[in-house]
Amino acid sequence: MTEQNVLDALKNVTYPGFTKDIVTFGFVKDVVVENTTVGLMLDITSSAEEVKSELIEKATAELKKAGFEEIHVNINAPQAPRQMSNSVSGKNIAPHIKNFVMVSSGKGGVGKSTTSVNLAIALAMQGKKVGLLDADIYGPNVPRMMGVDGQKPEIQGNKLEPLKAYGVEIMSMGSIMEDGKALIWRGSMIMKAIEQFLRDILWSELDVLVIDMPPGTGDAQLSLAQSVPITAGVTVTTPQEVSLDDSRRSLNMFKKLDIPTAGLIENMSGFICPSCDEESDIFGMGTSAKVAEEFETDLMARIPIEPAIRIGGDTGQPIVYHKPDSETAKRYQEAASKLWAFVEKVNAEDLAGNAGVQPTTAPGVSACSTGGGAAATPARATEGSPTPVENTEGIKMAKKPASDESCGTGCGCH
């Protein structure tokens, strides 16, 4: 009996949840054969006990069929994550992902996706196992920025495998929809899509999933916060006051959704001349520091305007990876280090949890009906919320629908 006999037998053992076998995946290690005795190591990516048991049982059965009499199958698996309050306080539909980072902005056009991409790559370059979820449903730019534009994810069973680039697992609506197609979706569809991106994608057991959110403070942010405990929130802004006004709303949203705030990243903070490397103040510089202080958080980085950032985004060659010695790349790396230090602090102090923002609608009651409308509002969001009937100027506003009637928003609840 030889090692090849072992590998041929184990090609019949598929990894749970996949269609590929454990040999093709490269999980079979340290095979030792002596007559009809065999010992081997399965180096797997899951810490789940049921996965270990199934693989040992199937591998043993196949090796017996091949004629081996004494079989020793050992498993090398990651240690199961310590169950902390951020995975038991409230709801978590993706418990195999250790940390979630929400990258948000009060308005579009401030470089949020560029920040998400470079932060994710910087974390991966620092040795973390990283995923990047492009949850910006209406403007999914991450595939182009990561150099996977045009690639389609493979289907494994009834789930999708994320794409991979620069050491980062990637999923985006832009990778599964037709190019140039406009999405005209109501809030309920956006919320469902975000849940599916978390539940139906074959993410590895990631150290962190960086989530590029749509701009604003709407359904997508609320749905994500209710689905998983967010470890850290990052707000992206530019130095102008009109942007900072919206950034305050984003930071206030983090507070209302019980999301620990890692800080702000100020984009377009000065201009670095590609000819002389001199940095010039164009739109203002450092104005975000006052807002960070106002919300008792940090200004994580000031990212300058540099042509290489735009070129990297358009060509799928992010600056933090392709120009690591540039001033911009160094600042992204510094921001990633600060972010990870904050994540570790949140975990050490058990600060993440979403129990306070869970909907309280009774099972079987529509959140938009008379009986469920008020109860459906997250616990935190109900504080100080008026009942809209008519404002002081006599302008009619949304009235509460009668029982079992549509809420009037067109969400499709009835």
Side-chain angles (χ1 to χ4, degrees):
M1 305 292 279
T2 66
E3 180 178 342
Q4 189 58 48
N5 297 131
V6 175
L7 297 176
D8 289 341
L10 295 180
K11 286 179 180 178
N12 296 317
V13 179
T14 56
Y15 193 76
F18 289 79
T19 58
K20 293 181 182 178
D21 62 86
I22 57 176
V23 176
T24 301
F25 271 126
F27 292 158
V28 182
K29 311 286 186 183
D30 303 331
V31 177
V32 177
V33 177
E34 186 174 342
N35 297 324
T36 57
T37 299
V38 59
L40 59 97
M41 177 73 72
L42 295 182
D43 191 0
I44 64 175
T45 59
S46 174
S47 60
E49 289 299 326
E50 58 270 23
V51 172
K52 300 177 189 177
S53 300
E54 182 176 339
L55 288 175
I56 291 174
E57 181 181 344
K58 288 184 175 181
T60 301
E62 292 298 330
L63 290 169
K64 282 185 177 180
K65 290 180 185 177
F68 290 97
E69 297 176 0
E70 187 175 345
I71 301 165
H72 304 279
V73 179
N74 299 305
I75 299 286
N76 181 32
Q79 184 178 358
R82 183 166 63 95
Q83 198 76 305
M84 301 169 69
S85 67
N86 68 346
S87 58
V88 296
S89 178
K91 182 179 179 182
N92 189 352
I93 65 174
H96 58 295
I97 298 173
K98 298 174 186 175
N99 298 287
F100 303 87
V101 172
M102 179 190 288
V103 182
S104 191
S105 66
K107 62 184 297 182
V110 297
K112 174 178 51 59
S113 295
T114 301
T115 298
S116 299
V117 163
N118 284 283
L119 275 181
I121 295 174
L123 287 167
M125 293 172 71
Q126 293 175 14
K128 308 301 183 292
K129 197 164 187 180
V130 184
L132 175 59
L133 171 57
D134 184 3
D136 192 349
I137 303 296
Y138 296 125
N141 302 125
V142 165
R144 179 180 298 279
M145 293 180 174
M146 291 291 287
V148 296
D149 196 30
Q151 296 184 29
K152 300 297 180 183
E154 291 186 11
I155 299 173
Q156 292 288 345
N158 59 351
K159 297 191 176 185
L160 293 178
E161 277 195 49
L163 302 172
K164 294 181 176 66
Y166 303 110
V168 176
E169 297 183 11
I170 310 155
M171 182 50 62
S172 169
M173 181 62 74
S175 299
I176 56 179
M177 62 186 286
E178 296 178 19
D179 291 341
K181 183 178 179 181
L183 288 181
I184 307 174
W185 282 6
R186 298 192 187 276
S188 57
M189 297 175 70
I190 296 173
M191 295 163 75
K192 182 64 176 176
I194 287 177
E195 283 194 13
Q196 287 188 285
F197 274 142
L198 292 167
R199 198 194 306 270
D200 295 338
I201 305 301
L202 291 169
W203 301 107
S204 301
E205 294 186 352
L206 302 172
D207 293 321
V208 59
L209 179 64
V210 177
I211 307 170
D212 178 25
M213 299 300 297
T217 56
D219 291 326
Q221 285 77 5
L222 176 59
S223 179
L224 180 65
Q226 290 178 336
S227 299
V228 294
I230 307 298
T231 318
V234 175
T235 289
V236 181
T237 187
T238 55
Q240 302 97 316
E241 288 298 330
V242 290
S243 178
L244 292 172
D245 287 343
D246 292 320
S247 297
R248 287 183 173 91
R249 297 184 183 96
S250 178
L251 291 166
N252 189 47
M253 173 194 70
F254 288 158
K255 283 192 172 183
K256 288 189 174 182
L257 297 182
D258 294 341
I259 297 173
T261 305
L264 288 91
I265 291 181
E266 182 180 277
N267 266 338
M268 306 181 194
S269 181
F271 168 71
I272 295 181
C273 174
S275 301
C276 63
D277 290 330
E278 182 177 342
E279 187 168 356
S280 304
D281 183 359
I282 297 179
F283 297 127
M285 185 185 299
T287 53
S288 304
K290 182 179 178 181
V291 177
E293 183 179 352
E294 180 183 333
F295 283 85
E296 299 179 337
T297 189
D298 294 326
L299 178 57
M300 300 168 65
R302 293 188 299 105
I303 306 299
I305 301 172
E306 188 172 1
I309 300 176
R310 192 273 305 166
I311 295 170
D314 286 348
T315 61
Q317 297 181 323
I319 190 171
V320 75
Y321 187 92
H322 286 276
K323 290 186 178 294
D325 295 328
S326 65
E327 180 61 28
T328 297
K330 291 175 183 176
R331 295 187 190 184
Y332 275 128
Q333 289 285 0
E334 181 182 0
S337 297
K338 289 180 179 178
L339 174 59
W340 190 252
F342 183 82
V343 166
E344 289 186 323
K345 178 179 182 292
V346 169
N347 287 331
E349 299 178 15
D350 287 356
L351 300 178
N354 60 9
V357 295
Q358 294 303 317
T360 55
T361 307
V365 177
S366 168
C368 301
S369 68
T370 303
T377 307
R380 289 285 187 268
T382 58
E383 298 174 4
S385 299
T387 302
V389 177
E390 188 168 347
N391 65 13
T392 55
E393 297 177 355
I395 301 174
K396 293 184 179 180
M397 302 173 70
K399 294 183 180 180
K400 182 184 292 185
S403 179
D404 296 329
E405 291 181 0
S406 169
C407 65
T409 64
C411 72
C413 63
H414 287 74

